[in-house]
Amino acid sequence: MAALAAQGDRNALDDLLRAIRPDVVRRCGRFLLYREDAEEAAQDVLLQVARHIERFEGRSRFSTWLHTIVANCSRQKYRELKRRSAEQPTLPEETGSPERRPDPRTTSVIAGSRVDFLEALERLEQESPHLVAPLVYRDLCQMDYAEIVDRLGIPLGTLKSRLHHARRHIRPWLSFEGP
C-alpha cells in the first residue's frame, strides 16, 4: 500500500493513513504521556506522511521510515509543550504566597520519567548529536537492530557502541525518584 501511495495513488494514500493511524498514536504515546498530546503528534505524523510519501523509496520497510517521522514529530510536540509551559505567566501558589513558575512536570501534559528522558535527549543532542537517533530508535521506538542499521546506514557494531555511549551519557541526567 505504501509503495502505491508513494507512486501517487491517492486512494492508496487514504487507505494507508487510515490503517497506520492507531499504530502512530500508540507510538507517539511512547514519547508523550497523555493521549491528547499523542493524538496531536500523530496528526502531525500523518500530515508529514501525506506530504512526503513520495520520499519513501521502498529500500527499507515502511515502518522504519515511519519511525523516523514519529520520533521527530513527537519530540517536536514535546518541545512545543515545554515552550508553551515556559511562556505561561507565573502563578501565585496561594493567596499571599510568592509567585512561582509552573513546573512542567505538574502543569504540562507531560510528566514523570518521560520528561526526564526527553530532557536528557535534548541535552544529548547538544553535546553528542550522533548518539540521539540510535537511542531514540532503539529505546523509544523499539526498533530492532537490523532496522536501525538500515535506517542509519551504520554497521551493527557502531550502532551498539553508540547506544552504549548514549545510555551511559544520559544516565546521570535521569531522575529515578518514585512518586
Side-chain angles (χ1 to χ4, degrees):
M1 192 174 348
L4 289 173
Q7 294 171 3
D9 183 330
R10 289 323 225 167
N11 291 330
L13 178 60
D14 290 343
D15 292 344
L16 177 67
L17 294 174
R18 233 182 336 276
I20 66 172
R21 187 182 188 292
D23 188 47
V24 167
V25 171
R26 183 180 55 77
R27 290 176 192 217
C28 289
R30 290 183 184 151
F31 289 84
L32 303 165
L33 182 62
Y34 289 89
R35 183 162 180 89
E36 296 82 14
D37 296 334
E39 287 175 353
E40 282 185 38
Q43 287 300 324
D44 295 341
V45 170
L46 296 174
L47 183 60
Q48 291 298 317
V49 169
R51 285 184 178 165
H52 304 292
I53 189 68
E54 73 281 350
R55 293 183 186 168
F56 175 66
E57 299 172 352
R59 287 183 288 153
S60 62
R61 293 180 2 198
F62 176 74
S63 63
T64 303
W65 184 76
L66 183 61
H67 278 298
T68 302
I69 299 170
V70 167
N72 290 339
C73 288
S74 295
R75 291 183 64 215
Q76 183 59 40
K77 177 56 66 181
Y78 167 73
R79 288 183 194 112
E80 177 186 317
L81 292 167
K82 182 179 164 187
R83 189 173 46 252
R84 237 188 279 155
S85 175
E87 291 171 354
Q88 289 179 350
T90 55
L91 302 172
E93 193 168 331
E94 296 175 10
T95 308
S97 296
E99 291 187 352
R100 64 177 176 83
R101 174 135 332 262
D103 179 1
R105 287 179 175 84
T106 57
T107 61
S108 171
V109 288
I110 302 173
S113 63
R114 291 183 199 177
V115 169
D116 295 329
F117 188 70
L118 291 168
E119 286 294 324
L121 283 177
E122 294 297 309
R123 287 180 66 181
L124 183 63
E125 191 162 46
Q126 292 173 358
E127 294 180 17
S128 301
H130 66 287
L131 300 178
V132 173
L135 189 63
V136 167
Y137 290 152
R138 184 68 182 161
D139 291 356
L140 281 174
C141 296
Q142 300 176 339
M143 293 170 64
D144 61 38
Y145 288 115
E147 285 181 293
I148 301 169
V149 163
D150 182 51
R151 181 71 187 158
L152 297 179
I154 58 175
L156 179 60
T158 302
L159 170 63
K160 288 182 176 183
S161 174
R162 287 182 183 177
L163 277 170
H164 171 75
H165 290 294
R167 289 171 179 155
R168 192 181 75 212
H169 207 81
I170 70 167
R171 190 170 292 124
W173 301 334
L174 298 176
S175 169
F176 295 103
E177 297 174 12

mmCIF file of all heavy atoms in Angstrom, residues 53-71:
data_model
loop_
_atom_site.group_PDB
_atom_site.id
_atom_site.type_symbol
_atom_site.label_atom_id
_atom_site.label_comp_id
_atom_site.label_asym_id
_atom_site.label_seq_id
_atom_site.Cartn_x
_atom_site.Cartn_y
_atom_site.Cartn_z
ATOM 1 N N ILE A 53 5.120 11.364 1.175
ATOM 2 C CA ILE A 53 5.098 9.935 0.863
ATOM 3 C C ILE A 53 5.958 9.604 -0.353
ATOM 4 O O ILE A 53 6.534 8.526 -0.433
ATOM 5 C CB ILE A 53 3.642 9.406 0.680
ATOM 6 C CG1 ILE A 53 3.623 7.879 0.565
ATOM 7 C CG2 ILE A 53 2.969 10.052 -0.518
ATOM 8 C CD1 ILE A 53 4.007 7.154 1.822
ATOM 9 N N GLU A 54 6.101 10.555 -1.263
ATOM 10 C CA GLU A 54 6.913 10.279 -2.453
ATOM 11 C C GLU A 54 8.387 10.075 -2.099
ATOM 12 O O GLU A 54 9.142 9.508 -2.884
ATOM 13 C CB GLU A 54 6.764 11.405 -3.496
ATOM 14 C CG GLU A 54 7.466 12.701 -3.148
ATOM 15 C CD GLU A 54 6.731 13.576 -2.136
ATOM 16 O OE1 GLU A 54 5.560 13.291 -1.802
ATOM 17 O OE2 GLU A 54 7.345 14.563 -1.680
ATOM 18 N N ARG A 55 8.798 10.484 -0.913
ATOM 19 C CA ARG A 55 10.187 10.279 -0.469
ATOM 20 C C ARG A 55 10.434 8.843 -0.017
ATOM 21 O O ARG A 55 11.585 8.437 0.126
ATOM 22 C CB ARG A 55 10.532 11.224 0.672
ATOM 23 C CG ARG A 55 10.574 12.669 0.251
ATOM 24 C CD ARG A 55 10.984 13.547 1.408
ATOM 25 N NE ARG A 55 10.884 14.955 1.041
ATOM 26 C CZ ARG A 55 10.950 15.939 1.884
ATOM 27 N NH1 ARG A 55 11.115 15.697 3.179
ATOM 28 N NH2 ARG A 55 10.851 17.190 1.484
ATOM 29 N N PHE A 56 9.350 8.105 0.247
ATOM 30 C CA PHE A 56 9.508 6.700 0.616
ATOM 31 C C PHE A 56 9.871 5.932 -0.648
ATOM 32 O O PHE A 56 9.080 5.834 -1.579
ATOM 33 C CB PHE A 56 8.229 6.135 1.245
ATOM 34 C CG PHE A 56 8.316 4.664 1.520
ATOM 35 C CD1 PHE A 56 9.212 4.183 2.467
ATOM 36 C CD2 PHE A 56 7.529 3.771 0.827
ATOM 37 C CE1 PHE A 56 9.313 2.827 2.715
ATOM 38 C CE2 PHE A 56 7.616 2.408 1.069
ATOM 39 C CZ PHE A 56 8.509 1.941 2.004
ATOM 40 N N GLU A 57 11.089 5.424 -0.663
ATOM 41 C CA GLU A 57 11.604 4.765 -1.863
ATOM 42 C C GLU A 57 11.454 3.252 -1.838
ATOM 43 O O GLU A 57 11.745 2.586 -2.822
ATOM 44 C CB GLU A 57 13.068 5.152 -2.063
ATOM 45 C CG GLU A 57 13.238 6.652 -2.264
ATOM 46 C CD GLU A 57 14.697 7.077 -2.271
ATOM 47 O OE1 GLU A 57 15.578 6.234 -1.971
ATOM 48 O OE2 GLU A 57 14.950 8.244 -2.582
ATOM 49 N N GLY A 58 11.059 2.705 -0.706
ATOM 50 C CA GLY A 58 10.857 1.267 -0.627
ATOM 51 C C GLY A 58 12.136 0.474 -0.422
ATOM 52 O O GLY A 58 12.116 -0.750 -0.469
ATOM 53 N N ARG A 59 13.262 1.153 -0.188
ATOM 54 C CA ARG A 59 14.523 0.428 0.056
ATOM 55 C C ARG A 59 14.518 -0.215 1.433
ATOM 56 O O ARG A 59 15.182 -1.212 1.653
ATOM 57 C CB ARG A 59 15.725 1.367 -0.079
ATOM 58 C CG ARG A 59 16.003 1.738 -1.534
ATOM 59 C CD ARG A 59 17.222 2.591 -1.656
ATOM 60 N NE ARG A 59 16.883 3.919 -1.122
ATOM 61 C CZ ARG A 59 17.746 4.755 -0.606
ATOM 62 N NH1 ARG A 59 19.015 4.432 -0.520
ATOM 63 N NH2 ARG A 59 17.359 5.936 -0.163
ATOM 64 N N SER A 60 13.800 0.377 2.366
ATOM 65 C CA SER A 60 13.647 -0.212 3.695
ATOM 66 C C SER A 60 12.153 -0.420 3.926
ATOM 67 O O SER A 60 11.328 -0.025 3.102
ATOM 68 C CB SER A 60 14.228 0.712 4.764
ATOM 69 O OG SER A 60 13.547 1.947 4.779
ATOM 70 N N ARG A 61 11.840 -1.016 5.057
ATOM 71 C CA ARG A 61 10.429 -1.218 5.364
ATOM 72 C C ARG A 61 9.754 0.120 5.621
ATOM 73 O O ARG A 61 10.375 1.063 6.129
ATOM 74 C CB ARG A 61 10.292 -2.117 6.590
ATOM 75 C CG ARG A 61 10.762 -3.515 6.316
ATOM 76 C CD ARG A 61 10.663 -4.480 7.459
ATOM 77 N NE ARG A 61 10.094 -3.991 8.692
ATOM 78 C CZ ARG A 61 10.253 -4.588 9.851
ATOM 79 N NH1 ARG A 61 10.967 -5.670 9.940
ATOM 80 N NH2 ARG A 61 9.700 -4.098 10.940
ATOM 81 N N PHE A 62 8.492 0.206 5.302
ATOM 82 C CA PHE A 62 7.736 1.431 5.536
ATOM 83 C C PHE A 62 7.739 1.787 7.019
ATOM 84 O O PHE A 62 7.861 2.954 7.387
ATOM 85 C CB PHE A 62 6.291 1.287 5.018
ATOM 86 C CG PHE A 62 5.434 2.481 5.325
ATOM 87 C CD1 PHE A 62 5.605 3.670 4.623
ATOM 88 C CD2 PHE A 62 4.483 2.429 6.332
ATOM 89 C CE1 PHE A 62 4.827 4.780 4.912
ATOM 90 C CE2 PHE A 62 3.701 3.537 6.632
ATOM 91 C CZ PHE A 62 3.872 4.717 5.915
ATOM 92 N N SER A 63 7.633 0.783 7.880
ATOM 93 C CA SER A 63 7.600 1.040 9.325
ATOM 94 C C SER A 63 8.893 1.712 9.788
ATOM 95 O O SER A 63 8.863 2.558 10.693
ATOM 96 C CB SER A 63 7.349 -0.246 10.109
ATOM 97 O OG SER A 63 8.403 -1.164 9.901
ATOM 98 N N THR A 64 10.006 1.382 9.197
ATOM 99 C CA THR A 64 11.275 2.009 9.543
ATOM 100 C C THR A 64 11.249 3.480 9.168
ATOM 101 O O THR A 64 11.650 4.349 9.946
ATOM 102 C CB THR A 64 12.439 1.293 8.829
ATOM 103 O OG1 THR A 64 12.423 -0.089 9.192
ATOM 104 C CG2 THR A 64 13.774 1.895 9.208
ATOM 105 N N TRP A 65 10.754 3.780 7.984
ATOM 106 C CA TRP A 65 10.628 5.161 7.517
ATOM 107 C C TRP A 65 9.665 5.925 8.431
ATOM 108 O O TRP A 65 9.923 7.058 8.824
ATOM 109 C CB TRP A 65 10.132 5.147 6.070
ATOM 110 C CG TRP A 65 10.033 6.469 5.397
ATOM 111 C CD1 TRP A 65 11.054 7.224 4.898
ATOM 112 C CD2 TRP A 65 8.833 7.198 5.108
ATOM 113 N NE1 TRP A 65 10.557 8.373 4.319
ATOM 114 C CE2 TRP A 65 9.196 8.384 4.432
ATOM 115 C CE3 TRP A 65 7.479 6.961 5.361
ATOM 116 C CZ2 TRP A 65 8.268 9.323 4.013
ATOM 117 C CZ3 TRP A 65 6.558 7.896 4.936
ATOM 118 C CH2 TRP A 65 6.955 9.060 4.261
ATOM 119 N N LEU A 66 8.592 5.281 8.800
ATOM 120 C CA LEU A 66 7.580 5.894 9.649
ATOM 121 C C LEU A 66 8.111 6.198 11.054
ATOM 122 O O LEU A 66 7.782 7.229 11.639
ATOM 123 C CB LEU A 66 6.347 4.990 9.727
ATOM 124 C CG LEU A 66 5.145 5.498 10.504
ATOM 125 C CD1 LEU A 66 4.612 6.794 9.880
ATOM 126 C CD2 LEU A 66 4.052 4.434 10.526
ATOM 127 N N HIS A 67 8.946 5.302 11.590
ATOM 128 C CA HIS A 67 9.524 5.519 12.923
ATOM 129 C C HIS A 67 10.250 6.863 13.003
ATOM 130 O O HIS A 67 10.159 7.559 14.020
ATOM 131 C CB HIS A 67 10.520 4.412 13.282
ATOM 132 C CG HIS A 67 9.886 3.174 13.801
ATOM 133 N ND1 HIS A 67 9.143 3.139 14.956
ATOM 134 C CD2 HIS A 67 9.903 1.911 13.335
ATOM 135 C CE1 HIS A 67 8.736 1.904 15.175
ATOM 136 N NE2 HIS A 67 9.182 1.145 14.198
ATOM 137 N N THR A 68 10.964 7.205 11.970
ATOM 138 C CA THR A 68 11.706 8.463 11.966
ATOM 139 C C THR A 68 10.747 9.644 12.070
ATOM 140 O O THR A 68 10.982 10.581 12.843
ATOM 141 C CB THR A 68 12.546 8.588 10.682
ATOM 142 O OG1 THR A 68 13.426 7.468 10.602
ATOM 143 C CG2 THR A 68 13.343 9.874 10.664
ATOM 144 N N ILE A 69 9.681 9.591 11.328
ATOM 145 C CA ILE A 69 8.696 10.679 11.351
ATOM 146 C C ILE A 69 8.020 10.743 12.713
ATOM 147 O O ILE A 69 7.832 11.830 13.274
ATOM 148 C CB ILE A 69 7.670 10.506 10.215
ATOM 149 C CG1 ILE A 69 8.383 10.551 8.858
ATOM 150 C CG2 ILE A 69 6.590 11.587 10.284
ATOM 151 C CD1 ILE A 69 7.515 10.159 7.679
ATOM 152 N N VAL A 70 7.667 9.597 13.270
ATOM 153 C CA VAL A 70 7.044 9.551 14.600
ATOM 154 C C VAL A 70 7.976 10.170 15.640
ATOM 155 O O VAL A 70 7.558 11.006 16.446
ATOM 156 C CB VAL A 70 6.667 8.102 14.992
ATOM 157 C CG1 VAL A 70 6.330 7.996 16.475
ATOM 158 C CG2 VAL A 70 5.509 7.599 14.143
ATOM 159 N N ALA A 71 9.233 9.765 15.616
ATOM 160 C CA ALA A 71 10.193 10.279 16.598
ATOM 161 C C ALA A 71 10.350 11.790 16.457
ATOM 162 O O ALA A 71 10.311 12.521 17.455
ATOM 163 C CB ALA A 71 11.547 9.586 16.436
#
